[in-house]
Each structure stands twice: as structure tokens, then as C-alpha cells.
Amino acid sequence: MENKNVYLKPVTLGNILKFAVPTIAMTVFMSFYTMVDGLFVSNLIGTDALSAINLTAPIIQLVTAISTMLATGGSAVIMKKMGQKKDKEAREDFTFLILVNIFVGIIMCTVGYMTMNYIFASMNLSADVEGYCVTYLSRYLLFTVPILLMNNFTLYMIASEKATLSLICSVTGGVLNMALDYVFIAVLHMGIAGAAVATGLGYSVTAIAGLFVFSSKKNLLHFQKPAFRLKVLAGASSNGSSEMATALVTGIITMMFNWTMLHYVGEDGVAAVTIIMYVLMFASSLYTGYSYGVAPMISFYHGEENRKKLKKLVAFSFKVIAAISVISVVVSFILTKPLVSVFASRENPVYDLAVTGNRICIIALFFIGFNIFASGMFTALSNGVVSAVLAFSRSFAFMLIAMIVLPLLLGVNGIWLATPAAELMAFILSAIMFRKYCNRYGVG
């Protein structure tokens, strides 16, 4: 019972932050060392290599989409059962879903190797950029299984009240990644292949630690003989479908950004998009980390039908997200030039493109946090349908409309405005859905 004390405590801002701060720090740090990857690549190899990393992103997002679906959806299913006092059944499901991740990872790695040459050959890239793409992705795919496990163990550590351990693993992996970036690229001259291997080894830290942590029966969640319940897999997939949609369509939208930029500006435009995505990803990680942190609490309170705690938790969450939104917009605007100059010199044509684009795109940070939390909340409440509608509309439908219409009207600036426009439309839809379902779940 000691392991569950955090769920039995009153819902106060202090107790919420004890859960959320480690996950915020973890996601921020993970996004930070992704930026460091780009920093090493752009400065030690060149902006063509930076463009290649962005061009491989849609395929990498597919890996992320599957693992995110199984992790977020599975966590909601399992923690709801914990709240219903079905501990043994929850642990059986946990073990089963981890095995599913391993199996899916092997399949995805195989398919990736079979198709990547055809994908990049069809994009009409320069020989150098195409070569960078193939080299980077071929090394990255070697770590598909560890990456899937990392995403899952990160959330399950949080649910098992080991958010601090999850943070330590992320920091360790990030420091290892950054150190190996320097060693592999600057010292051993492995080029972009070194960047991919460094990233994979950094992600593997949490995967390896998780195997040891969840082998101990002292933990709230731990491995035991799995029960192969297809209903559980379907439930996890359904609940996590919104997060999968977000990750998946992010890859599709990234591809659209790249194609549009190649049309209007060329490969310099792709490099500029990459820099801006790093900045948005870094700021968005604050919201993602908070949502990951409170999701197990939402699922647990939903399982025990404690509407009073749910309502209080959601109210606090809106205030926290509003504060983060204002701060992140102000800081991002002030630091635009210093951030961009880290990746591209002022003489590089990429610099001016990225500065202009970033100052337009950061408007989206007023809305992103609420949209991420709304989708995550419905996932935690086991309402995968609403969560999927919100995520799909935000990441794909609205973005598609904005990406088609605005560049035709405003040119390159229309490309940058697409993200704020899509997030604003998604914010309105999130507010409508919250109002519609608040009474059902007692969160309004």
C-alpha cells in the first residue's frame, strides 16, 4: 500500500508538481539533447546534414508513433486497473504489452531497411543530402527495439512512482548522447552515422534500466507471467490512438513542410524548418512532460471514481499550463536570434529564414499546451475516441488545411503561419469537447 500513497494524498499544487516536475525535466532534457544532435551535425558536418535529419524524421516518427500509442494507451489501461484493485491482472497486462513492443520493433526495423532506399530516391534530393539520409537512418534503425522500450519504460516508471529514476535515466542517456556526438563526429570522424549511433545509445539507457527495474517484485509494476489478452492490446491501442496519431501525422506534416520548403526556397528552407522544429519541440516538451506526469493520477482517480480529486486536478492543470504558455512565448521570442545563431551563422541564408519563421511560429505556444493536455486527459480517462479526434484534427486536418491555403496566399510566411493557425483551430475544438464531456467525468 505504501507504493500507492501518492495517489491517496490530497490534490494540491505541491503534490501535483511532485509528480509532474520530474517528467517535465525529463522531456525538456530529452528535447534538449535532440537539439544538441542538430548542433553537432550543423556545425561539424553542415546544414545539408541537418536537412537530412529532418528528411528522415517522418520515418522516425512512425517508430515513435507506435511506441507512444502502446505506452500511453497501455499506461491508462493498467493504472485504471490498479485503481480498481486489480493489481495482478495489471502486471500481467504490463508484461504482455512490453513483449508486444519488442515484437513490433523487430518488424519495423526490418521493413525500414527494406524500404528506405526507395523512399529517399523518390524525393529528388541532391546526392549529398540523399547519402546523408540513408546513412543516418540505417544506423538509427538498429536501435528500434530499445527506442520502443525507452518510450514505454519512461511512462511506466512514472506510473510506478519512479519519476525521479526516469529523469535520471533520461539525463544519463542525454549526457551519453552528447558526449558520444563529440567523440563519434569530431574525434572519430564518423560523420552523420556517428550522430545516429550516439542517439541510439543514449535512448538505450532507459531501456536497459527498465529491464532491471521492472524485474524486481518490490515495484508497484513488475514483470510476471503474461496473460495474452487481445482485448487489452485493443484497449491500449484504442486509448493511445490519439498519441499515435499525433506522432504519425507529425511525420506527415514534417514531410509536407519539407516539400513545400523545397518548392519555395530549396534545401536551405528545410534546414530552417529543422531549426524551428527544435525550438517548438523544446517549448512543447514542457506541456508534454506535465501531461505525462499527471496522466497516471487522472487514470487512477477515474478508476476509483473519485470525481472530487479529478476536478481539482484538472483545474490546477489549466492554471499551470496557462503560466507555462505565457513564459515560453516570451522567452522564445527574446531568445530567437541567439538560438538560431547556434545552428547557422548570420551569413548563412538559413539564418534569416529561421529567425523570421520562429518569431511567427511561436504564437502557437499560446495554444499547444492546452491541446496536448486535452488529448492526454481523454486518453487517461480511457476515452480514446475523443482523444484521437482532438489529436487527428490538430495534427493533421487543421494543419493540412493551413498548409494548403496559407502558403498560396502569403508565400513563405504562410508556411510559418500554418502552425499557429492549426493550433488555434485545435484549441477551439478542445474547448468544445471539454465542455461537452466535463459532466460525464466530473472534471468541469
Side-chain angles (χ1 to χ4, degrees):
M1 196 66 184
E2 185 177 347
N3 283 329
K4 296 181 184 176
N5 280 345
V6 68
Y7 295 105
L8 302 179
K9 291 179 180 179
V11 177
T12 63
L13 182 60
N15 287 334
I16 293 170
L17 292 180
K18 285 179 184 177
F19 235 80
V21 167
T23 60
I24 292 173
M26 175 192 67
T27 53
V28 167
F29 191 81
M30 288 176 68
S31 67
F32 173 73
Y33 74 72
T34 300
M35 291 176 67
V36 171
D37 267 352
L39 173 64
F40 276 105
V41 168
S42 62
N43 285 279
L44 296 179
I45 305 175
T47 52
D48 278 353
L50 186 64
S51 298
I53 290 180
N54 195 19
L55 290 165
T56 62
I59 300 173
I60 291 172
Q61 286 291 346
L62 179 60
V63 177
T64 304
I66 300 298
S67 62
T68 301
M69 175 189 72
L70 294 172
T72 56
S75 177
V77 170
I78 290 166
M79 292 314 298
K80 182 179 179 181
K81 287 188 176 182
M82 285 288 187
Q84 295 170 336
K85 314 302 180 187
K86 300 177 181 178
D87 294 10
K88 181 176 180 294
E89 189 175 323
R91 292 176 186 127
E92 292 172 348
D93 295 341
F94 162 67
T95 308
F96 168 56
L97 290 175
I98 293 301
L99 292 175
V100 169
N101 273 272
I102 293 172
F103 178 71
V104 169
I106 294 171
I107 293 176
M108 294 182 73
C109 179
T110 303
V111 172
Y113 271 103
M114 292 172 61
T115 59
M116 64 179 176
N117 286 313
Y118 300 102
I119 293 172
F120 296 125
S122 68
M123 297 176 72
N124 296 320
L125 304 171
S126 66
D128 286 344
V129 173
E130 183 178 339
Y132 284 137
C133 289
V134 173
T135 300
Y136 185 83
L137 188 61
S138 63
R139 282 21 173 226
Y140 190 95
L141 287 173
L142 294 172
F143 298 93
T144 305
V145 171
I147 290 169
L148 263 71
L149 291 179
M150 180 272 296
N151 283 336
N152 279 262
F153 287 152
T154 293
L155 290 189
Y156 286 122
M157 285 181 187
I158 295 167
S160 297
E161 297 184 49
K162 294 188 178 295
T164 302
L165 176 60
S166 182
L167 172 61
I168 291 171
C169 289
S170 297
V171 171
T172 302
V175 171
L176 178 65
N177 182 15
M178 289 183 278
L180 292 179
D181 268 332
Y182 178 77
V183 172
F184 290 161
I185 299 174
V187 179
L188 299 180
H189 305 292
M190 293 173 61
I192 199 169
V197 173
T199 299
L201 290 174
Y203 284 158
S204 298
V205 170
T206 301
I208 294 170
L211 291 174
F212 285 99
V213 168
F214 293 112
S215 294
S216 172
K217 293 186 178 180
K218 295 180 181 179
N219 292 314
L220 180 64
L221 285 177
H222 56 258
F223 297 131
Q224 65 181 60
K225 185 177 180 180
F228 293 87
R229 302 184 182 97
L230 293 179
K231 184 178 180 181
V232 169
L233 177 58
S237 300
S238 174
N239 284 334
S241 60
S242 61
E243 281 70 23
M244 181 189 73
T246 300
L248 188 58
V249 300
T250 296
I252 297 171
I253 294 301
T254 299
M255 191 180 303
M256 288 182 61
F257 262 111
N258 293 338
W259 285 342
T260 307
M261 272 300 180
L262 285 170
H263 173 71
Y264 279 91
V265 183
E267 291 174 353
D268 284 342
V270 176
V273 167
T274 308
I275 295 170
I276 291 169
M277 284 187 172
Y278 283 148
V279 176
L280 285 178
M281 176 184 63
F282 185 78
S284 297
S285 65
L286 295 166
Y287 313 123
T288 303
Y290 181 83
S291 297
Y292 281 173
V294 300
M297 299 175 73
I298 293 174
S299 297
F300 192 92
Y301 298 149
H302 177 54
E304 68 174 5
E305 299 181 358
N306 194 326
R307 291 191 163 210
K308 182 178 180 181
K309 284 189 173 183
L310 264 179
K311 183 176 181 179
K312 202 169 184 180
L313 175 59
V314 171
F316 271 125
S317 296
F318 284 146
K319 294 176 183 178
V320 170
I321 291 169
I324 294 174
S325 298
V326 174
I327 294 170
S328 62
V329 169
V330 173
V331 172
S332 296
F333 186 86
I334 293 172
L335 296 181
T336 290
K337 288 186 175 180
L339 284 171
V340 173
S341 65
V342 169
F343 295 93
S345 66
R346 292 176 184 269
E347 296 75 27
N348 193 319
V350 171
Y351 176 84
D352 288 333
L353 280 169
V355 168
T356 301
N358 189 67
R359 285 185 167 167
I360 296 173
C361 280
I362 59 175
I363 298 171
L365 294 176
F366 282 119
F367 314 112
I368 289 176
F370 294 99
N371 295 333
I372 290 174
F373 178 76
S375 180
M377 180 189 72
F378 281 109
T379 295
L381 292 170
S382 296
N383 193 332
V385 174
V386 172
S387 184
V389 168
L390 292 177
F392 183 80
S393 299
R394 170 195 171 222
S395 301
F396 187 70
F398 295 148
M399 198 68 186
L400 182 63
I401 293 170
M403 280 292 294
I404 291 173
V405 175
L406 293 179
L408 292 175
L409 298 175
L410 302 172
V412 175
N413 285 339
I415 301 174
W416 304 132
L417 276 170
T419 300
E423 292 293 347
L424 174 58
M425 289 187 281
F427 175 79
I428 294 170
L429 180 60
S430 295
I432 292 171
M433 289 297 184
F434 180 82
R435 184 175 180 84
K436 179 178 180 180
Y437 288 94
C438 64
N439 290 331
R440 175 188 296 187
Y441 297 109
V443 295

